């Protein structure tokens, strides 16, 4: 009779699959970059006179300001949910709830750090679209394009994509909810990134790289949590055993 796979083997197989997904998504994003589709897509929304939707009320007040505030509200709710869980969070233990909140915060931080180091300017800064900067790839590291820079990757799209890490925490105990959570985070990131694309604030590659970066941070958080969880459980068991008074011999 075959014995069930060991915990280390299950761990390795699960994360090998996630590694393949991560590399596959990376290949797709690199293919978009290599195809040079950013400028043609931007030209569908803008011209030498600028981007007509740049100050459009719905894109600015609802999808930009509203999306940003809703994203931070969800981060706050996930953080509070570590101690006071509601809804599907009740199915998770405290460590898994912490993983959901921490993965979102780390994804936001990662996007922000890369963005602040970038010298890439936004589409609306380019001379082609009525600005003053010249186009330079975001991979032309250190090249100053004459604009304001700090436009890569798409910070606003991270208000949706940052929550993909919740999928990894949910998928063990609530797989159906995990799939819905992932779909919602991806849809939100694409909608928010698409709105910024239409306004001239970002190229599509900026949004796609944000999605990949947030996915990767979520996966790495899950990798770390999966490795730590057995050790923490063993320490907790050992501490409980040490606190139990010895039984008197009968």
């Amino acid at each position: 009779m075959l014995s069930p796979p060991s915990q280390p083997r299950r761990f390795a197989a699960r994360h090998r699959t996630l590694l393949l997904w991560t590399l596959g998504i990376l290949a797709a994003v690199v293919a978009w970059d290599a195809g040079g589709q950013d400028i043609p897509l931007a030209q569908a929304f803008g011209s030498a006179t600028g981007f007509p939707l740049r100050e459009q009320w719905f894109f600015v007040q609802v999808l930009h300001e509203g999306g940003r505030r809703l994203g931070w509200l969800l981060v706050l709710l996930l953080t509070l949910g570590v101690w006071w869980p509601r809804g599907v969070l009740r199915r998770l233990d405290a460590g898994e709830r912490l993983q959901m909140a921490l993965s979102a915060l780390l994804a936001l931080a990662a996007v922000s750090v890369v963005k602040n180091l970038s010298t890439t300017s936004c589409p609306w800064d380019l001379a082609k679209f009525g600005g003053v900067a010249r186009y330079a790839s975001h991979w032309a590291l250190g090249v100053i394009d004459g604009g304001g820079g700090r436009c890569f990757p798409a910070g606003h799209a991270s208000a949706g994509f940052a929550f993909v890490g919740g999928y990894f925490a949910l998928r063990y105990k609530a797989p159906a909810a995990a799939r819905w959570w992932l779909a919602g985070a991806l849809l939100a990131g694409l909608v928010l990134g698409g709105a910024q694309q239409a306004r001239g604030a970002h190229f599509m590659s900026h949004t796609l790289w944000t999605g990949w970066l947030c996915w990767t941070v979520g996966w790495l958080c899950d990798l770390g949590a999966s490795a730590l969880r057995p050790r923490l459980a063993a320490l907790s068991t050992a501490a409980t055993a040490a606190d139990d008074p010895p039984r008197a011999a009968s």
Side-chain angles (χ1 to χ4, degrees), residues 88 91 167 169-182:
V88 71
R91 303 188 202 178
Y167 162 77
L170 286 166
R171 67 195 181 105
Y172 303 108
K173 296 178 180 175
R179 290 190 291 271
W180 280 105
W181 186 277
L182 177 61

Side-chain angles (χ1 to χ4, degrees), residues 131-208:
V132 296
R134 68 184 187 281
Y135 175 77
S137 169
H138 42 261
W139 295 118
L141 303 179
V143 173
I144 305 300
D145 58 20
R150 296 194 298 178
C151 198
F152 173 82
H156 190 58
S158 67
F161 286 135
F163 299 101
V164 297
Y167 162 77
F168 299 100
L170 286 166
R171 67 195 181 105
Y172 303 108
K173 296 178 180 175
R179 290 190 291 271
W180 280 105
W181 186 277
L182 177 61
L186 292 176
L187 179 61
L190 289 172
V191 168
L192 295 176
Q196 292 296 83
Q197 166 89 45
R199 296 181 64 227
H202 286 291
F203 289 118
M204 180 53 67
S205 64
H206 299 184
T207 295
L208 296 178

